[in-house]
Amino acid sequence: MSSGHRLRDVEQQHPLLDREEAAAGSAVGEAERVWFIQDGCGMVCAFITWFLVLYADFVVTFVMLLPSKSFWYAVVNGVVFNCLAVLALSSHLRTMLTDPGAVPKGNATKKYMESLKLKPGEVIYKCPKCCSIKPERAHHCSICKRCIRKMDHHCPWVNNCVGENNQRFFVLFTMYIAMISTHALTLSGYQFVTCVKVQWSECSDFSPPVTVMLMIFLCLEGLLFLSFTAIMFGTQVHSICNDETEIERLKNEKPTWERQVRWEGMRSVFGGQPSLLWINPFAGLRLRRLLTTSSRKAGAEFSV
């Protein structure tokens, strides 16, 4: 490395290396692995998330809708609720299994730095924990053990960091969970009123005590999920519209980049002009390449 170049070991950064250069180093690796963080707490939280969504689906379908005497009431609400549940769980999977923007490990080599063609006096920043050159707005995650581009936070409920590449799916996850929570609470309220009118006879295939316990737990779950995801959804949209991650806001970091605010920020995260693709968690899913990679490696490669 030329004496005119300086390399600093820091944990926070305002580097000169842009995100396109950092992305180029990880583009090859992304096609060759399935991203999955092997964190015990995160895996337990992800399992709990799935269990609670499936529990809500069970109560709504088998306790409320199937015993209903109104055919169209049961069909319409069943289709809507189950579609929202599929979209929510799909968004959760995309958030959990998508590389959030990890900077390649150990790329702070003499050969790589010479390839950057830095001008004399320019400063680049190296993370001492993962030995990588940190692009602008990247932060090190102690759980993922990687530097993540535009890292917002690490969420144990999706067992992954929320960063540059998967923030869109995290926003969709919080939105769909908030929607099914609202739907479940509405159905529960209607079911309670109906059951009270008929004195809990013929309003469910389960006994009244079991029905009451299942619905009370569903209401508690719905209120908890709705409050949490609604707040997170609002926070994420606010961060996107202000082009400021949660870490940057908490650390009160002054922007050294050109901000993309409001609709520019939304387009940069969701891609292109507003369309139905924005709310589709399956958009951009390359299943064929994923299956080819898995069959060639005889199983998914877990990246930590």
Side-chain angles (χ1 to χ4, degrees):
M1 181 172 58
S2 171
S3 59
H5 299 157
R6 290 177 290 165
L7 180 66
R8 295 182 179 176
D9 291 343
V10 291
E11 295 183 12
Q12 302 164 10
Q13 77 298 326
H14 293 291
L16 298 174
L17 183 66
D18 62 22
R19 81 183 198 183
E20 286 78 11
E21 290 172 330
S26 62
V28 176
E30 285 185 19
E32 299 298 328
R33 68 169 182 267
V34 172
W35 178 271
F36 183 80
I37 301 301
Q38 299 183 62
D39 173 60
C41 177
M43 289 187 286
V44 170
C45 289
F47 173 80
I48 292 175
T49 300
W50 274 68
F51 173 79
L52 292 176
V53 172
L54 294 176
Y55 168 81
D57 188 68
F58 169 80
V59 175
V60 168
T61 303
F62 294 97
V63 178
M64 300 183 191
L65 298 182
L66 288 183
S68 175
K69 295 181 179 180
S70 174
F71 174 78
W72 288 111
Y73 170 82
V75 170
V76 172
N77 283 285
V79 170
V80 171
F81 190 89
N82 281 276
C83 285
L84 291 175
V86 169
L87 290 171
L89 294 178
S90 300
S91 300
H92 183 274
L93 275 180
R94 293 299 302 273
T95 307
M96 183 170 61
L97 301 180
T98 298
D99 183 343
V103 179
K105 277 185 177 180
N107 68 346
T109 61
K110 180 179 179 181
K111 181 178 179 181
Y112 179 68
M113 285 185 283
E114 288 177 348
S115 69
L116 297 178
K117 298 179 180 180
L118 299 173
K119 297 178 181 179
E122 287 186 334
V123 180
I124 56 178
Y125 290 82
K126 170 189 171 184
C127 175
K129 297 178 180 178
C130 58
C131 293
S132 62
I133 296 178
K134 302 179 74 171
E136 190 172 27
R137 306 182 72 183
H139 292 83
H140 186 86
C141 175
S142 59
I143 299 176
C144 295
K145 298 180 177 64
R146 300 287 288 275
C147 286
I148 307 297
R149 298 191 302 273
K150 280 189 70 176
M151 177 181 170
D152 188 86
H153 68 287
H154 185 95
C155 179
W157 297 106
V158 297
N159 189 33
N160 202 1
C161 276
V162 177
E164 183 177 80
N165 295 340
N166 67 347
Q167 187 176 27
R168 166 179 170 243
F169 303 120
F170 182 74
V171 172
L172 293 182
F173 168 66
T174 58
M175 182 184 74
Y176 286 125
I177 289 294
M179 291 176 69
I180 64 173
S181 297
T182 303
H183 194 186
L185 289 171
T186 303
L187 292 176
S188 296
Y190 180 80
Q191 187 75 5
F192 270 117
V193 172
T194 302
C195 290
V196 169
K197 286 182 178 180
V198 298
Q199 297 182 347
W200 296 93
S201 61
E202 298 182 1
C203 72
S204 174
D205 293 335
F206 296 85
S207 63
V210 174
T211 301
V212 171
M213 286 190 296
L214 291 174
M215 292 178 61
I216 288 177
F217 187 78
L218 176 63
C219 289
L220 293 175
E221 175 193 340
L223 288 171
L224 180 64
F225 268 37
L226 176 59
S227 58
F228 174 75
T229 55
I231 292 173
M232 285 302 302
F233 175 78
T235 301
Q236 288 295 302
V237 172
H238 180 269
S239 296
I240 293 172
C241 290
N242 287 277
D243 196 12
E244 182 182 47
T245 66
E246 187 65 16
I247 291 179
E248 292 163 351
R249 187 186 67 81
L250 292 175
K251 291 185 176 182
N252 197 26
E253 295 183 1
K254 295 182 180 179
T256 58
W257 60 93
E258 184 179 351
R259 280 188 165 179
Q260 295 178 315
V261 296
R262 297 183 178 84
W263 281 111
E264 290 183 3
M266 294 292 289
R267 284 194 291 266
S268 68
V269 172
F270 288 88
Q273 297 297 323
S275 68
L276 290 177
L277 293 177
W278 279 23
I279 59 174
N280 179 12
F282 302 103
L285 182 62
R286 299 179 181 180
L287 184 60
R288 179 178 300 178
R289 188 180 71 176
L290 179 62
L291 293 176
T292 302
T293 301
S294 300
S295 62
R296 182 173 64 251
K297 289 182 173 289
E301 178 183 347
F302 293 152
S303 177
V304 181

